[in-house]
Amino acid sequence: MNKGRKTVLNSMIRQIHCVVVSLLCGVAVSTACAESPIRPGDRIAIVGNTFADQLRIHGYLETMLLQQWPDNPVAIRNLGWGGDMLNARDRPTNFPNEEETLTAHRTDVIIACFGMGESFAGEDGVQSFQAAVDAFIKSLEGKQYNGKSQVRLILVSPIANEPLGKLTPRHEQRNSELSAYSQAMSEVAIAAEVPFIDLYQTSRYLIDERVGPNFTTNGIHLNPYGYWAVSHYLFRDLVQDDLASVQPPWRISVDAADLTVQAHGIDVSDTARTEAGLTFRATELIAPTLPPPTDEDVPPQLHHFRDSMTIANLPPGTYELAIDDVSVATANHDEWARGIIIDTSPAHQAAEALRRAVNDKNLQFTYSWKALNQVHIVGERKKSPSGRALPAEVIEFNRLAEKRDANLRDAIQRETRNWRVSRIEL
């Protein structure tokens, strides 16, 4: 097979694989629950292992959920704890009771991420894990943390094990075990009519694509890029019955010859030709996508999560796109005709600022919920000035988290901006 035909075939296989994974993820959720797992205005608590805990410091999933319903945003508290398992969730002395925290947050829905730590028990531990999942589901029956309705539950499987050479000598065996535990969780969820999201299959597919950076630091703990990638799929499964309003990324296509424009995600008006190129005004109808935290090329199946612009029939030369006089992208006429990723615009910078605000809110809550120095709580410094001040400081940090929550609502903006494409001399 020649190189060109092989490249085309591989591209077709990747596209088909992507569709299959998306369908599998959708089936995993919809089989267990007819409604969208997350709804506008939900007050959400995330519990579970290191995967859950680290969601709070990257902020991609929470930012996407906030952008989904700007007029009625969700509110999230992350109670994840590194190393947690369903039957091993130890906490320090005098640590706040989880039910009290869930009640204080008026929790509507719990996203529970388990199975990674349990999977180290191997095939022999699958039945015990199933029993633990079933007991966990039953433990939430009748609980009304929001004071009006039974709390809803969403179960999330562990991710796959990424092969990283000497760091992961047993990755094939580990993936066999992780697959078994994910399947076990799925069976319990379906029987209990609880939504289940299979991140094992999704992450296994992403990890098997060797284009782009690694997803994990050690095979099982996602790095920032891994959280960016996996959060896109997790987000879509969480709002899977609201997919009609889950808009694809911005897609702008301009014909420089006749000034016709096709656009999705923004509304284009006042298109005009200039001596150096063209200009138009664009009103943002949906939020921009968050750029990946890497300078490396991302795999082909992740391209459709990124905003892009195509300009056909530009005269030969190099052209710069500026939005509100901010330089965003520079490429030659052939590159513009093929399409350019747009992810450094003022709107994208605002989305990144929102993500940083999300992370700051989560940090304030962590300070209020997970005191970092136990010696001031139960140790020798309990009666010191700093120890005596700690309860009031905890209350203040919680107040700051609540205030940050309110501020996030105002940080979701849609603007009308001036776009300009101009030929430049290099």
PDB file of all heavy atoms in Angstrom, residues 201-227:
ATOM      1  N   GLN A 201     -13.381   3.388  28.222  1.00  0.00           N
ATOM      2  CA  GLN A 201     -13.372   3.219  26.767  1.00  0.00           C
ATOM      3  C   GLN A 201     -12.922   4.502  26.067  1.00  0.00           C
ATOM      4  O   GLN A 201     -12.138   4.460  25.123  1.00  0.00           O
ATOM      5  CB  GLN A 201     -14.766   2.802  26.276  1.00  0.00           C
ATOM      6  CG  GLN A 201     -15.207   1.423  26.719  1.00  0.00           C
ATOM      7  CD  GLN A 201     -14.387   0.312  26.081  1.00  0.00           C
ATOM      8  OE1 GLN A 201     -13.658   0.526  25.118  1.00  0.00           O
ATOM      9  NE2 GLN A 201     -14.507  -0.894  26.618  1.00  0.00           N
ATOM     10  N   THR A 202     -13.417   5.636  26.537  1.00  0.00           N
ATOM     11  CA  THR A 202     -13.042   6.916  25.925  1.00  0.00           C
ATOM     12  C   THR A 202     -11.555   7.178  26.056  1.00  0.00           C
ATOM     13  O   THR A 202     -10.869   7.500  25.078  1.00  0.00           O
ATOM     14  CB  THR A 202     -13.828   8.064  26.584  1.00  0.00           C
ATOM     15  OG1 THR A 202     -15.222   7.862  26.372  1.00  0.00           O
ATOM     16  CG2 THR A 202     -13.425   9.408  25.989  1.00  0.00           C
ATOM     17  N   SER A 203     -11.035   7.035  27.266  1.00  0.00           N
ATOM     18  CA  SER A 203      -9.618   7.322  27.474  1.00  0.00           C
ATOM     19  C   SER A 203      -8.731   6.288  26.783  1.00  0.00           C
ATOM     20  O   SER A 203      -7.644   6.624  26.290  1.00  0.00           O
ATOM     21  CB  SER A 203      -9.299   7.377  28.976  1.00  0.00           C
ATOM     22  OG  SER A 203      -9.641   6.156  29.616  1.00  0.00           O
ATOM     23  N   ARG A 204      -9.180   5.048  26.716  1.00  0.00           N
ATOM     24  CA  ARG A 204      -8.392   4.020  26.028  1.00  0.00           C
ATOM     25  C   ARG A 204      -8.223   4.397  24.554  1.00  0.00           C
ATOM     26  O   ARG A 204      -7.126   4.267  23.979  1.00  0.00           O
ATOM     27  CB  ARG A 204      -9.082   2.657  26.152  1.00  0.00           C
ATOM     28  CG  ARG A 204      -8.341   1.495  25.464  1.00  0.00           C
ATOM     29  CD  ARG A 204      -7.034   1.171  26.174  1.00  0.00           C
ATOM     30  NE  ARG A 204      -6.267   0.154  25.477  1.00  0.00           N
ATOM     31  CZ  ARG A 204      -6.339  -1.143  25.738  1.00  0.00           C
ATOM     32  NH1 ARG A 204      -7.150  -1.586  26.693  1.00  0.00           N
ATOM     33  NH2 ARG A 204      -5.602  -2.008  25.076  1.00  0.00           N
ATOM     34  N   TYR A 205      -9.288   4.870  23.959  1.00  0.00           N
ATOM     35  CA  TYR A 205      -9.205   5.297  22.556  1.00  0.00           C
ATOM     36  C   TYR A 205      -8.266   6.484  22.383  1.00  0.00           C
ATOM     37  O   TYR A 205      -7.426   6.513  21.480  1.00  0.00           O
ATOM     38  CB  TYR A 205     -10.607   5.630  22.049  1.00  0.00           C
ATOM     39  CG  TYR A 205     -10.623   6.366  20.738  1.00  0.00           C
ATOM     40  CD1 TYR A 205     -10.050   5.805  19.607  1.00  0.00           C
ATOM     41  CD2 TYR A 205     -11.183   7.634  20.649  1.00  0.00           C
ATOM     42  CE1 TYR A 205     -10.049   6.481  18.401  1.00  0.00           C
ATOM     43  CE2 TYR A 205     -11.181   8.313  19.450  1.00  0.00           C
ATOM     44  CZ  TYR A 205     -10.617   7.733  18.328  1.00  0.00           C
ATOM     45  OH  TYR A 205     -10.600   8.418  17.142  1.00  0.00           O
ATOM     46  N   LEU A 206      -8.386   7.465  23.258  1.00  0.00           N
ATOM     47  CA  LEU A 206      -7.523   8.644  23.159  1.00  0.00           C
ATOM     48  C   LEU A 206      -6.055   8.280  23.388  1.00  0.00           C
ATOM     49  O   LEU A 206      -5.159   8.768  22.694  1.00  0.00           O
ATOM     50  CB  LEU A 206      -7.961   9.692  24.178  1.00  0.00           C
ATOM     51  CG  LEU A 206      -9.318  10.361  23.935  1.00  0.00           C
ATOM     52  CD1 LEU A 206      -9.690  11.241  25.117  1.00  0.00           C
ATOM     53  CD2 LEU A 206      -9.317  11.164  22.650  1.00  0.00           C
ATOM     54  N   ILE A 207      -5.816   7.421  24.369  1.00  0.00           N
ATOM     55  CA  ILE A 207      -4.452   7.034  24.693  1.00  0.00           C
ATOM     56  C   ILE A 207      -3.824   6.220  23.565  1.00  0.00           C
ATOM     57  O   ILE A 207      -2.627   6.336  23.286  1.00  0.00           O
ATOM     58  CB  ILE A 207      -4.429   6.254  26.024  1.00  0.00           C
ATOM     59  CG1 ILE A 207      -4.671   7.217  27.199  1.00  0.00           C
ATOM     60  CG2 ILE A 207      -3.131   5.482  26.204  1.00  0.00           C
ATOM     61  CD1 ILE A 207      -4.960   6.530  28.512  1.00  0.00           C
ATOM     62  N   ASP A 208      -4.607   5.398  22.884  1.00  0.00           N
ATOM     63  CA  ASP A 208      -4.076   4.577  21.795  1.00  0.00           C
ATOM     64  C   ASP A 208      -3.645   5.411  20.597  1.00  0.00           C
ATOM     65  O   ASP A 208      -2.885   4.932  19.759  1.00  0.00           O
ATOM     66  CB  ASP A 208      -5.118   3.544  21.352  1.00  0.00           C
ATOM     67  CG  ASP A 208      -5.226   2.382  22.338  1.00  0.00           C
ATOM     68  OD1 ASP A 208      -4.344   2.267  23.208  1.00  0.00           O
ATOM     69  OD2 ASP A 208      -6.185   1.605  22.241  1.00  0.00           O
ATOM     70  N   GLU A 209      -4.137   6.650  20.486  1.00  0.00           N
ATOM     71  CA  GLU A 209      -3.705   7.546  19.406  1.00  0.00           C
ATOM     72  C   GLU A 209      -2.373   8.164  19.818  1.00  0.00           C
ATOM     73  O   GLU A 209      -2.298   8.937  20.758  1.00  0.00           O
ATOM     74  CB  GLU A 209      -4.764   8.630  19.171  1.00  0.00           C
ATOM     75  CG  GLU A 209      -4.350   9.727  18.211  1.00  0.00           C
ATOM     76  CD  GLU A 209      -3.978   9.207  16.855  1.00  0.00           C
ATOM     77  OE1 GLU A 209      -4.880   8.738  16.137  1.00  0.00           O
ATOM     78  OE2 GLU A 209      -2.774   9.250  16.524  1.00  0.00           O
ATOM     79  N   ARG A 210      -1.331   7.817  19.113  1.00  0.00           N
ATOM     80  CA  ARG A 210       0.009   8.221  19.533  1.00  0.00           C
ATOM     81  C   ARG A 210       0.412   9.604  19.037  1.00  0.00           C
ATOM     82  O   ARG A 210       1.533  10.043  19.263  1.00  0.00           O
ATOM     83  CB  ARG A 210       1.052   7.185  19.088  1.00  0.00           C
ATOM     84  CG  ARG A 210       0.837   5.792  19.682  1.00  0.00           C
ATOM     85  CD  ARG A 210       0.505   5.814  21.156  1.00  0.00           C
ATOM     86  NE  ARG A 210       1.526   6.445  21.978  1.00  0.00           N
ATOM     87  CZ  ARG A 210       1.304   6.880  23.202  1.00  0.00           C
ATOM     88  NH1 ARG A 210       0.100   6.824  23.741  1.00  0.00           N
ATOM     89  NH2 ARG A 210       2.300   7.419  23.885  1.00  0.00           N
ATOM     90  N   VAL A 211      -0.480  10.290  18.308  1.00  0.00           N
ATOM     91  CA  VAL A 211      -0.199  11.673  17.931  1.00  0.00           C
ATOM     92  C   VAL A 211      -0.481  12.557  19.133  1.00  0.00           C
ATOM     93  O   VAL A 211      -1.490  12.403  19.810  1.00  0.00           O
ATOM     94  CB  VAL A 211      -1.068  12.108  16.738  1.00  0.00           C
ATOM     95  CG1 VAL A 211      -0.870  13.589  16.439  1.00  0.00           C
ATOM     96  CG2 VAL A 211      -0.746  11.265  15.510  1.00  0.00           C
ATOM     97  N   GLY A 212       0.435  13.498  19.396  1.00  0.00           N
ATOM     98  CA  GLY A 212       0.204  14.433  20.483  1.00  0.00           C
ATOM     99  C   GLY A 212       0.929  14.042  21.757  1.00  0.00           C
ATOM    100  O   GLY A 212       1.609  13.017  21.833  1.00  0.00           O
ATOM    101  N   PRO A 213       0.775  14.851  22.793  1.00  0.00           N
ATOM    102  CA  PRO A 213       1.492  14.627  24.056  1.00  0.00           C
ATOM    103  C   PRO A 213       0.898  13.473  24.851  1.00  0.00           C
ATOM    104  O   PRO A 213      -0.196  12.981  24.554  1.00  0.00           O
ATOM    105  CB  PRO A 213       1.314  15.958  24.796  1.00  0.00           C
ATOM    106  CG  PRO A 213       0.053  16.523  24.252  1.00  0.00           C
ATOM    107  CD  PRO A 213      -0.014  16.090  22.817  1.00  0.00           C
ATOM    108  N   ASN A 214       1.618  13.039  25.887  1.00  0.00           N
ATOM    109  CA  ASN A 214       1.086  12.041  26.810  1.00  0.00           C
ATOM    110  C   ASN A 214      -0.126  12.613  27.538  1.00  0.00           C
ATOM    111  O   ASN A 214      -0.254  13.827  27.732  1.00  0.00           O
ATOM    112  CB  ASN A 214       2.143  11.628  27.830  1.00  0.00           C
ATOM    113  CG  ASN A 214       3.289  10.850  27.205  1.00  0.00           C
ATOM    114  OD1 ASN A 214       3.131  10.216  26.155  1.00  0.00           O
ATOM    115  ND2 ASN A 214       4.445  10.897  27.835  1.00  0.00           N
ATOM    116  N   PHE A 215      -0.983  11.700  28.009  1.00  0.00           N
ATOM    117  CA  PHE A 215      -2.175  12.100  28.763  1.00  0.00           C
ATOM    118  C   PHE A 215      -1.960  12.046  30.270  1.00  0.00           C
ATOM    119  O   PHE A 215      -2.683  12.700  31.019  1.00  0.00           O
ATOM    120  CB  PHE A 215      -3.362  11.196  28.402  1.00  0.00           C
ATOM    121  CG  PHE A 215      -3.999  11.518  27.085  1.00  0.00           C
ATOM    122  CD1 PHE A 215      -3.485  10.990  25.916  1.00  0.00           C
ATOM    123  CD2 PHE A 215      -5.086  12.361  26.999  1.00  0.00           C
ATOM    124  CE1 PHE A 215      -4.058  11.285  24.690  1.00  0.00           C
ATOM    125  CE2 PHE A 215      -5.666  12.668  25.779  1.00  0.00           C
ATOM    126  CZ  PHE A 215      -5.144  12.131  24.621  1.00  0.00           C
ATOM    127  N   THR A 216      -0.996  11.247  30.710  1.00  0.00           N
ATOM    128  CA  THR A 216      -0.819  11.023  32.139  1.00  0.00           C
ATOM    129  C   THR A 216       0.624  11.267  32.560  1.00  0.00           C
ATOM    130  O   THR A 216       1.524  11.346  31.733  1.00  0.00           O
ATOM    131  CB  THR A 216      -1.209   9.578  32.529  1.00  0.00           C
ATOM    132  OG1 THR A 216      -0.273   8.663  31.936  1.00  0.00           O
ATOM    133  CG2 THR A 216      -2.619   9.235  32.072  1.00  0.00           C
ATOM    134  N   THR A 217       0.812  11.336  33.880  1.00  0.00           N
ATOM    135  CA  THR A 217       2.161  11.488  34.420  1.00  0.00           C
ATOM    136  C   THR A 217       2.787  10.138  34.754  1.00  0.00           C
ATOM    137  O   THR A 217       4.009  10.002  34.751  1.00  0.00           O
ATOM    138  CB  THR A 217       2.134  12.336  35.701  1.00  0.00           C
ATOM    139  OG1 THR A 217       1.267  11.714  36.669  1.00  0.00           O
ATOM    140  CG2 THR A 217       1.616  13.738  35.404  1.00  0.00           C
ATOM    141  N   ASN A 218       1.946   9.160  35.060  1.00  0.00           N
ATOM    142  CA  ASN A 218       2.462   7.860  35.501  1.00  0.00           C
ATOM    143  C   ASN A 218       1.641   6.683  34.986  1.00  0.00           C
ATOM    144  O   ASN A 218       1.737   5.583  35.512  1.00  0.00           O
ATOM    145  CB  ASN A 218       2.516   7.811  37.025  1.00  0.00           C
ATOM    146  CG  ASN A 218       1.131   7.977  37.656  1.00  0.00           C
ATOM    147  OD1 ASN A 218       0.139   8.184  36.956  1.00  0.00           O
ATOM    148  ND2 ASN A 218       1.072   7.894  38.969  1.00  0.00           N
ATOM    149  N   GLY A 219       0.807   6.929  33.982  1.00  0.00           N
ATOM    150  CA  GLY A 219      -0.040   5.870  33.443  1.00  0.00           C
ATOM    151  C   GLY A 219      -1.488   5.974  33.875  1.00  0.00           C
ATOM    152  O   GLY A 219      -2.396   5.611  33.113  1.00  0.00           O
ATOM    153  N   ILE A 220      -1.740   6.471  35.103  1.00  0.00           N
ATOM    154  CA  ILE A 220      -3.123   6.507  35.606  1.00  0.00           C
ATOM    155  C   ILE A 220      -3.559   7.878  36.108  1.00  0.00           C
ATOM    156  O   ILE A 220      -4.756   8.094  36.317  1.00  0.00           O
ATOM    157  CB  ILE A 220      -3.345   5.470  36.728  1.00  0.00           C
ATOM    158  CG1 ILE A 220      -2.406   5.735  37.903  1.00  0.00           C
ATOM    159  CG2 ILE A 220      -3.179   4.051  36.198  1.00  0.00           C
ATOM    160  CD1 ILE A 220      -2.663   4.853  39.117  1.00  0.00           C
ATOM    161  N   HIS A 221      -2.629   8.806  36.325  1.00  0.00           N
ATOM    162  CA  HIS A 221      -2.989  10.153  36.774  1.00  0.00           C
ATOM    163  C   HIS A 221      -2.842  11.119  35.608  1.00  0.00           C
ATOM    164  O   HIS A 221      -1.744  11.314  35.084  1.00  0.00           O
ATOM    165  CB  HIS A 221      -2.100  10.594  37.948  1.00  0.00           C
ATOM    166  CG  HIS A 221      -2.305   9.783  39.182  1.00  0.00           C
ATOM    167  ND1 HIS A 221      -1.321   9.603  40.131  1.00  0.00           N
ATOM    168  CD2 HIS A 221      -3.382   9.091  39.623  1.00  0.00           C
ATOM    169  CE1 HIS A 221      -1.789   8.847  41.111  1.00  0.00           C
ATOM    170  NE2 HIS A 221      -3.044   8.522  40.821  1.00  0.00           N
ATOM    171  N   LEU A 222      -3.948  11.728  35.209  1.00  0.00           N
ATOM    172  CA  LEU A 222      -3.943  12.625  34.067  1.00  0.00           C
ATOM    173  C   LEU A 222      -3.088  13.858  34.330  1.00  0.00           C
ATOM    174  O   LEU A 222      -3.071  14.391  35.443  1.00  0.00           O
ATOM    175  CB  LEU A 222      -5.374  13.073  33.730  1.00  0.00           C
ATOM    176  CG  LEU A 222      -6.320  11.997  33.191  1.00  0.00           C
ATOM    177  CD1 LEU A 222      -7.741  12.531  33.135  1.00  0.00           C
ATOM    178  CD2 LEU A 222      -5.879  11.508  31.817  1.00  0.00           C
ATOM    179  N   ASN A 223      -2.409  14.331  33.295  1.00  0.00           N
ATOM    180  CA  ASN A 223      -1.712  15.612  33.354  1.00  0.00           C
ATOM    181  C   ASN A 223      -2.667  16.712  32.876  1.00  0.00           C
ATOM    182  O   ASN A 223      -3.828  16.412  32.525  1.00  0.00           O
ATOM    183  CB  ASN A 223      -0.422  15.561  32.521  1.00  0.00           C
ATOM    184  CG  ASN A 223      -0.676  15.208  31.062  1.00  0.00           C
ATOM    185  OD1 ASN A 223      -1.757  15.471  30.525  1.00  0.00           O
ATOM    186  ND2 ASN A 223       0.298  14.606  30.400  1.00  0.00           N
ATOM    187  N   PRO A 224      -2.279  17.975  32.868  1.00  0.00           N
ATOM    188  CA  PRO A 224      -3.209  19.034  32.440  1.00  0.00           C
ATOM    189  C   PRO A 224      -3.806  18.790  31.053  1.00  0.00           C
ATOM    190  O   PRO A 224      -5.013  19.000  30.849  1.00  0.00           O
ATOM    191  CB  PRO A 224      -2.338  20.295  32.463  1.00  0.00           C
ATOM    192  CG  PRO A 224      -1.333  20.026  33.533  1.00  0.00           C
ATOM    193  CD  PRO A 224      -1.019  18.561  33.414  1.00  0.00           C
ATOM    194  N   TYR A 225      -2.999  18.335  30.103  1.00  0.00           N
ATOM    195  CA  TYR A 225      -3.525  18.047  28.770  1.00  0.00           C
ATOM    196  C   TYR A 225      -4.546  16.918  28.819  1.00  0.00           C
ATOM    197  O   TYR A 225      -5.578  16.958  28.148  1.00  0.00           O
ATOM    198  CB  TYR A 225      -2.378  17.689  27.822  1.00  0.00           C
ATOM    199  CG  TYR A 225      -2.837  17.132  26.501  1.00  0.00           C
ATOM    200  CD1 TYR A 225      -3.459  17.952  25.558  1.00  0.00           C
ATOM    201  CD2 TYR A 225      -2.674  15.787  26.196  1.00  0.00           C
ATOM    202  CE1 TYR A 225      -3.899  17.439  24.345  1.00  0.00           C
ATOM    203  CE2 TYR A 225      -3.099  15.276  24.985  1.00  0.00           C
ATOM    204  CZ  TYR A 225      -3.709  16.099  24.069  1.00  0.00           C
ATOM    205  OH  TYR A 225      -4.146  15.587  22.875  1.00  0.00           O
ATOM    206  N   GLY A 226      -4.266  15.894  29.643  1.00  0.00           N
ATOM    207  CA  GLY A 226      -5.209  14.794  29.778  1.00  0.00           C
ATOM    208  C   GLY A 226      -6.547  15.249  30.327  1.00  0.00           C
ATOM    209  O   GLY A 226      -7.610  14.812  29.869  1.00  0.00           O
ATOM    210  N   TYR A 227      -6.510  16.148  31.316  1.00  0.00           N
ATOM    211  CA  TYR A 227      -7.772  16.666  31.865  1.00  0.00           C
ATOM    212  C   TYR A 227      -8.509  17.510  30.826  1.00  0.00           C
ATOM    213  O   TYR A 227      -9.738  17.490  30.760  1.00  0.00           O
ATOM    214  CB  TYR A 227      -7.519  17.461  33.144  1.00  0.00           C
ATOM    215  CG  TYR A 227      -7.484  16.573  34.370  1.00  0.00           C
ATOM    216  CD1 TYR A 227      -6.283  16.203  34.951  1.00  0.00           C
ATOM    217  CD2 TYR A 227      -8.664  16.076  34.910  1.00  0.00           C
ATOM    218  CE1 TYR A 227      -6.250  15.366  36.055  1.00  0.00           C
ATOM    219  CE2 TYR A 227      -8.646  15.241  36.019  1.00  0.00           C
ATOM    220  CZ  TYR A 227      -7.440  14.887  36.584  1.00  0.00           C
ATOM    221  OH  TYR A 227      -7.414  14.045  37.668  1.00  0.00           O
TER     222      TYR A 227
END
